[in-house]
Amino acid sequence: MSEVLTVECPTCGNTVIWGEISPYRPFCSKRCQLIDLGEWANEEKTIPSQSDSSENDDWSEEPK
């Protein structure tokens, strides 16, 4: 018999079974999945960068 793999929901911390039984994995529910998506959309979460400058630093609506 295989061992059941469980993970912690990144939003609320509930235990989630990693498998077909949990369609929103690694989240425990659609609600937690949407909360996480909203945090990324509001830029509350970011991926750290090695450089200090952003590729958008020189961005302008005016054509060059």
Side-chain angles (χ1 to χ4, degrees):
M1 194 179 257
S2 64
E3 191 174 315
V4 176
L5 178 63
T6 60
V7 295
E8 195 173 283
C9 175
T11 304
C12 70
N14 284 337
T15 301
V16 179
I17 296 173
W18 191 268
E20 298 284 327
I21 194 169
S22 304
Y24 302 110
R25 64 187 178 273
F27 304 99
C28 65
S29 64
K30 184 70 172 177
R31 179 180 178 272
C32 282
Q33 185 183 48
L34 291 173
I35 288 170
D36 184 75
L37 178 62
E39 289 172 349
W40 282 99
N42 289 331
E43 297 183 358
E44 295 170 21
K45 292 185 177 181
T46 59
I47 297 174
S49 174
Q50 295 269 339
S51 67
D52 291 334
S53 64
S54 171
E55 66 180 50
N56 295 327
D57 285 347
D58 297 324
W59 183 85
S60 172
E61 290 184 7
E62 299 298 320
K64 290 185 177 186

